[in-house]
């Protein structure tokens, strides 16, 4: 769907007018198709911080060496793992105060710290928790397509951040900002991919709701990264399924995921390395006017089906060791939304599902996480009334809607075998909403 305002502000007159009128000035976001960033990265933090040596080596291996004198940089990366007191937070201020204007459009801000809950010292817990407010505020200040993230890293295995560094410093994370991600040591059996460009090579992936919209983009991105795809949707969407299977060289399954035998049917097509629960429906209506059928149908598709299918796969050996399950929640499940008590409840329930099943997936060397999209340009959002649609587009740090590929790239990062240290997490793909976190 075309964003006419974004095209307008890219013109000379539009840029002048929007600046004079105090209107949002979004920039065109660079995504994976733009290739790899060409500008260097600037690394900050104490040389004796717990993560410093590993971080410096990993950035160098990614061809993003430290560049202290470059006039413009792609990213500012600050190792805050050595900050042990409130007073020490001044180092964070000084680094970004000095260098933040050097970050180019579509640049990246990345802060790494230690999980506050693991700290035994009170001052360390306080200082490390303070990083969250700092990072989320920086993300809302900079605009120009610049994103900001905080990674809490378990010092027992700092190399576990590699896939997350690659994702958050690349253009694949264009619409993810203001996020806090905890990265623990991966299961001992986890084997990272040998080719970072195709980390999912040879993995068998199931994507539900794959015939159109976000699901279709997920299927295409996973296939591009090397998966053997099984695309699933309702029988009425078989034509779209057939097309996506042909385009990706995969298979398709026309199946109602709410059917009593859906789990048994899926087991015939497994086992799977990756399962993406994307299928979902809306039946929007204010609570007083909502029928029980409208409530129940949304719960059945959006929440009960992922719960029952995951359970069937776990009990029936339908998931391979080190499997990744990724669920699609929604910003509505975090903040709520007018006329969506059924939808918001189902998407909040997905968060509960992820947090509940995380220990069970970890026990087989796997992971389960969720993405929570905000305003994404799809056929569904194109039908929203103009005023509400424009508010959805502009009330985030990017001042624009995201694209289905933004959700898909985030899911591909979570599905990467090198990301198994990320488990039980909810990552918002919302351009960092300006209202709330």
């Amino acid at each position: 769907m075309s964003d006419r305002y974004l095209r307008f502000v890219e013109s000379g007159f539009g840029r002048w007018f929007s600046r004079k009128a105090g209107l949002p000035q979004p920039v065109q976001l660079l995504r994976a198709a733009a290739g790899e960033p060409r500008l260097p990265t600037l690394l900050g933090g104490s040389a004796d911080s717990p993560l410093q040596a590993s971080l410096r080596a990993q950035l160098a291996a990614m061809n993003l060496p430290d560049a202290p004198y470059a006039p413009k940089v792609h990213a500012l990366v600050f190792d805050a793992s050595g900050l042990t007191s409130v007073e020490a937070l001044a180092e964070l201020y000084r680094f970004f105060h000095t260098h933040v204007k050097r970050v180019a459009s579509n640049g990246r801000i990345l802060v790494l710290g230690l999980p506050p809950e693991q700290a035994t010292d009170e001052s360390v817990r306080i200082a490390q928790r303070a990083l969250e407010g700092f990072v989320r505020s920086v993300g809302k200040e900079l605009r120009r397509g610049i994103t900001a993230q905080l990674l809490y890293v378990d010092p027992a295995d700092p190399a576990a951040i590699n896939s997350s560094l690659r994702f958050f410093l690349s253009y694949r994370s264009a619409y993810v900002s203001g996020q806090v991600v905890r990265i623990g040591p991966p299961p001992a059996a986890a084997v990272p991919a040998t080719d970072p460009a195709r980390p999912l090579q040879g993995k068998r992936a199931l994507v539900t709701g794959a015939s159109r919209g976000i699901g279709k983009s997920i299927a295409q991105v996973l296939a591009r990264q090397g998966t053997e795809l099984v695309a699933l949707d309702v029988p009425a969407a078989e034509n779209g399924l057939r097309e996506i299977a042909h385009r990706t060289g995969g298979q398709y399954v026309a199946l109602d995921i709410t059917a009593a035998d859906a789990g048994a049917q899926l087991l015939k097509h497994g086992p799977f390395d990756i399962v993406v629960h994307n299928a979902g429906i809306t039946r929007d209506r204010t609570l007083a006017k909502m029928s029980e059928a409208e409530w129940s149908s949304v719960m059945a598709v959006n929440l009960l089906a992922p719960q029952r299918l995951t359970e069937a796969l776990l009990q029936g050996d339908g998931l391979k060791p080190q499997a990744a399950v990724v669920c699609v929640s929604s910003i509505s499940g975090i903040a709520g939304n007018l006329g969506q008590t059924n939808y918001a409840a189902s998407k909040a329930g997905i968060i509960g599902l992820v947090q509940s099943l995380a220990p069970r997936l970890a026990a087989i060397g796997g992971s389960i996480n969720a993405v929570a999209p905000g305003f994404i340009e799809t056929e569904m959002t194109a039908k929203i009334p103009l005023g509400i649609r424009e508010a959805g587009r502009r009330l985030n740090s990017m001042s624009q809607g995201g694209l289905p590929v933004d959700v898909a790239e985030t899911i591909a990062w979570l599905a990467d075998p090198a990301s198994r240290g990320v488990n039980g997490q909810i990552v918002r793909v919302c351009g960092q909403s300006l209202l709330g976190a």
Side-chain angles (χ1 to χ4, degrees), residues 314-335:
L314 280 166
Q315 292 191 8
D317 295 326
L319 295 176
K320 293 183 182 180
Q322 305 168 42
V325 178
V326 187
C327 302
V328 178
S329 179
S330 169
I331 200 74
S332 294
I334 297 171

Side-chain angles (χ1 to χ4, degrees), residues 108-311:
R108 301 290 184 259
I109 300 292
L110 200 57
V111 176
L112 293 92
L114 302 179
E117 60 275 12
Q118 292 184 15
T120 56
D121 184 274
E122 181 180 292
S123 294
V124 176
R125 287 199 301 272
I126 293 170
Q128 292 297 314
R129 182 58 179 80
L131 300 176
E132 294 193 26
F134 176 85
V135 168
R136 286 179 169 143
S137 296
V138 165
K140 291 179 178 180
E141 282 187 13
L142 297 184
R143 308 300 178 90
R144 296 186 294 120
I146 299 171
T147 67
Q149 327 289 347
L150 170 61
L151 306 183
Y152 280 131
V153 183
D154 190 317
D157 190 355
I161 65 175
N162 189 262
S163 67
S164 299
L165 282 179
R166 290 181 180 276
F167 175 68
F168 285 119
L169 292 178
S170 76
Y171 294 136
R172 295 169 55 209
S173 57
Y175 205 62
V176 182
S177 188
Q179 297 307 289
V180 179
V181 177
R182 283 169 164 76
I183 306 172
V191 180
T194 55
D195 182 2
R198 288 173 64 85
L200 307 180
Q201 183 69 42
K203 303 297 183 184
R204 190 166 179 81
L206 170 71
V207 179
T208 70
S211 68
R212 64 191 180 97
I214 292 174
K216 183 177 181 179
S217 187
I218 295 168
Q220 291 173 327
V221 168
L222 294 184
R224 186 189 74 210
Q225 293 200 13
T227 64
E228 300 171 6
L229 181 70
V230 178
L232 182 150
D233 216 318
V234 294
E238 188 165 356
N239 287 340
L241 277 176
R242 188 181 297 112
E243 177 193 348
I244 193 67
H246 175 73
R247 184 175 298 182
T248 60
Q251 305 171 25
Y252 74 88
V253 179
L255 176 68
D256 179 356
I257 58 173
T258 66
D261 66 341
Q265 293 298 319
L266 278 189
L267 287 172
K268 297 178 182 179
H269 300 276
F272 301 104
D273 298 283
I274 301 163
V275 174
V276 182
H277 291 300
N278 164 74
I281 62 172
T282 56
R283 297 290 183 268
D284 294 355
R285 202 179 296 274
T286 55
L287 185 58
K289 297 178 181 179
M290 184 181 296
S291 69
E292 187 165 346
E294 289 169 329
W295 173 274
S296 298
S297 61
V298 169
M299 287 295 171
V301 174
N302 295 5
L303 184 54
L304 277 173
Q307 179 185 6
R308 291 170 176 170
L309 294 180
T310 305
E311 188 64 36

Side-chain angles (χ1 to χ4, degrees), residues 13-152:
F13 173 74
R15 193 177 304 110
W16 173 85
F17 180 82
S18 61
R19 188 181 297 115
K20 287 290 185 182
L23 296 173
Q25 295 180 285
V27 301
Q28 192 73 46
L29 299 182
L30 296 180
R31 293 180 164 88
E36 291 300 314
R38 292 185 174 87
L39 292 173
T41 292
L42 180 60
L43 175 61
S46 300
D48 58 352
S49 294
L51 304 177
Q52 186 74 190
S54 177
L55 182 57
R56 191 174 296 278
Q58 291 185 65
L59 291 174
M62 294 166 57
N63 294 318
L64 292 173
D66 195 14
Y69 305 112
K72 282 290 181 182
V73 297
H74 166 67
L76 296 179
V77 179
F78 188 84
D79 175 10
S81 63
L83 304 185
T84 58
S85 67
V86 173
E87 292 81 3
L89 289 170
E91 294 180 36
L92 183 74
Y93 159 77
R94 295 187 192 106
F95 176 78
F96 284 101
H97 176 74
T98 302
H99 301 295
V100 75
K101 291 184 178 180
R102 296 168 62 187
V103 182
S105 293
N106 283 281
R108 301 290 184 259
I109 300 292
L110 200 57
V111 176
L112 293 92
L114 302 179
E117 60 275 12
Q118 292 184 15
T120 56
D121 184 274
E122 181 180 292
S123 294
V124 176
R125 287 199 301 272
I126 293 170
Q128 292 297 314
R129 182 58 179 80
L131 300 176
E132 294 193 26
F134 176 85
V135 168
R136 286 179 169 143
S137 296
V138 165
K140 291 179 178 180
E141 282 187 13
L142 297 184
R143 308 300 178 90
R144 296 186 294 120
I146 299 171
T147 67
Q149 327 289 347
L150 170 61
L151 306 183
Y152 280 131

Side-chain angles (χ1 to χ4, degrees), residues 303 306-307 310-311 314 325 327 348-363 367-370 423-426:
L303 184 54
Q307 179 185 6
T310 305
E311 188 64 36
L314 280 166
V325 178
C327 302
I350 285 293
I351 295 173
L353 175 69
V354 164
Q355 294 172 339
S356 175
L357 291 182
R360 291 178 64 185
L361 267 295
S367 64
I368 180 169
N369 297 283
N423 189 25
Q425 308 271 313
I426 315 301

